[in-house]
Amino acid sequence: MRPIWTGAIGFGLVNIPVKLYSATQGSELDLDMLDKKDLANIRFKRVNEKTGKEVAWGNIVKGFMINDKYVVLDDKDFESANAVKTKVIEISDFVNETEINSIYYENPYYLVPEKSGVRAYALLKEALLKTGKAGVSTFVLRNKEHLAILRATEDIMILNQLRFHEEIRNPKELEIAPSAVKPAELKMAISLINQLTAKFNISSYKDTYTQQLLKLIKAKAKGAKPAAAHMKVVHSKAKDLMGQLKASLSAKTKKAS
């Protein structure tokens, strides 16, 4: 792994030098875009709007337009805007992690201490584990300020990027027709939920679609023609709901036996 950010955790007057690593990786297949006519690879170029010529990465700068003129910014400008936030994950508050709605969670990162910060890192990690708290913090990554929550596991500290409140759309903008819940149906639905309840084990869930897609690709490479699969979403009538719940409970019972 390569660090994507280096800086420090700001914990009161304590600074803990750390490196930030992405905690996730994609599981999807790396598919290329091709021209349908001759299967040639499609390439995207960075082109000068005036000359039409390709521009090398080294000659590209960032700018912001004010009064029809561009103000060009370099790395020093981004850091000068707020040197602390570009280098420090500043913990402002400690909260119970359960207080944070899952809709706010975005990208997770691993935090690894530099040699000079190992002792302070271990101290903060252990303190978070003992108290069951998580630190709410802000930091700048890729020229954008992010809200984040810093939490501890037995092995490592994890920084979970959060969405700001204003980035969440208001669900009241969506129209959901009201519907009365019948006690008998609710009782049956709760029974089904209880039957399907198990201890959560993330490793038992696999990206089976990618595996099946790769299997199809290999079959096509050998000349096989996959059979067309069609699935239709069935809109059941409300009066069938109790019957469907009973059938679901029965199917689960038979499977278990």
Side-chain angles (χ1 to χ4, degrees), residues 46 81 170 244:
R46 299 169 296 277
N170 190 340
Q244 291 167 357

Side-chain angles (χ1 to χ4, degrees), residues 188-256:
M188 192 73 69
I190 291 173
S191 295
L192 181 56
I193 287 172
N194 289 335
Q195 274 202 7
L196 295 171
T197 297
K199 189 173 181 180
F200 181 69
N201 179 10
I202 190 67
S203 63
S204 65
Y205 300 92
K206 308 294 182 183
D207 181 5
T208 57
Y209 178 77
T210 295
Q211 296 172 0
Q212 291 162 348
L213 181 59
L214 184 59
K215 184 179 178 181
L216 181 145
I217 291 170
K218 289 179 177 178
K220 288 194 74 173
K222 294 179 180 178
K225 188 176 181 181
H230 299 286
M231 181 176 176
K232 185 178 181 181
V233 177
V234 179
H235 296 274
S236 303
K237 295 179 181 178
K239 65 181 181 181
D240 296 333
L241 191 54
M242 181 61 86
Q244 291 167 357
L245 289 168
K246 286 181 179 179
S248 299
L249 281 166
S250 176
K252 177 64 179 177
T253 304
K254 288 179 181 178
K255 188 176 180 181

Side-chain angles (χ1 to χ4, degrees), residues 8-241:
I9 299 171
F11 171 44
L13 297 178
V14 179
N15 267 13
I16 308 171
V18 291
K19 293 180 180 179
L20 192 72
Y21 295 81
S22 178
T24 61
Q25 58 187 8
S27 63
E28 68 277 5
L29 295 179
D30 186 14
L31 301 175
D32 294 327
M33 289 194 292
L34 310 172
D35 190 320
K36 187 177 181 180
K37 295 178 181 178
D38 58 3
L39 301 186
N41 270 282
I42 303 298
R43 291 179 56 199
F44 291 92
K45 296 182 179 181
R46 299 169 296 277
V47 177
N48 185 306
E49 190 180 56
K50 295 179 180 178
T51 65
K53 293 181 179 180
E54 189 172 359
V55 182
W57 270 116
N59 292 329
I60 294 177
V61 295
K62 294 181 179 179
F64 186 85
M65 184 174 282
I66 294 181
N67 299 327
D68 297 326
K69 288 185 179 180
Y70 277 111
V71 176
V72 176
L73 301 168
D74 58 26
D75 292 340
K76 291 181 180 179
D77 293 322
F78 289 113
E79 188 171 331
S80 296
N82 192 319
V84 173
K85 287 193 174 183
T86 58
K87 289 296 180 184
V88 180
I89 299 167
E90 191 68 47
I91 299 175
S92 58
D93 307 283
F94 289 94
V95 299
N96 292 317
E97 195 176 346
T98 54
E99 296 176 20
I100 302 173
N101 192 316
S102 61
I103 198 172
Y104 292 107
Y105 280 90
E106 204 166 359
N107 299 322
Y109 300 97
Y110 290 137
L111 283 170
V112 177
E114 300 274 18
K115 287 184 179 180
S116 61
V118 169
R119 188 162 169 263
Y121 179 95
L123 175 63
L124 178 58
K125 181 166 73 70
E126 189 64 21
L128 290 174
L129 286 172
K130 290 288 185 182
T131 59
K133 302 291 184 182
V136 179
S137 58
T138 55
F139 71 109
V140 172
L141 179 66
R142 300 188 181 99
N143 307 326
K144 184 183 184 300
E145 183 169 3
H146 300 281
L147 182 66
I149 182 169
L150 192 153
R151 60 188 184 84
T153 68
E154 290 292 339
D155 299 320
I156 199 168
M157 282 202 286
I158 296 173
L159 188 75
N160 265 103
Q161 185 180 316
L162 301 177
R163 296 177 177 90
F164 285 102
H165 180 68
E166 60 265 27
E167 294 177 320
I168 305 299
R169 290 178 172 176
N170 190 340
K172 292 181 179 179
E173 296 176 9
L174 303 171
E175 293 183 7
I176 301 176
S179 178
V181 175
K182 296 180 180 179
E185 293 174 347
L186 178 60
K187 184 178 179 181
M188 192 73 69
I190 291 173
S191 295
L192 181 56
I193 287 172
N194 289 335
Q195 274 202 7
L196 295 171
T197 297
K199 189 173 181 180
F200 181 69
N201 179 10
I202 190 67
S203 63
S204 65
Y205 300 92
K206 308 294 182 183
D207 181 5
T208 57
Y209 178 77
T210 295
Q211 296 172 0
Q212 291 162 348
L213 181 59
L214 184 59
K215 184 179 178 181
L216 181 145
I217 291 170
K218 289 179 177 178
K220 288 194 74 173
K222 294 179 180 178
K225 188 176 181 181
H230 299 286
M231 181 176 176
K232 185 178 181 181
V233 177
V234 179
H235 296 274
S236 303
K237 295 179 181 178
K239 65 181 181 181
D240 296 333
L241 191 54

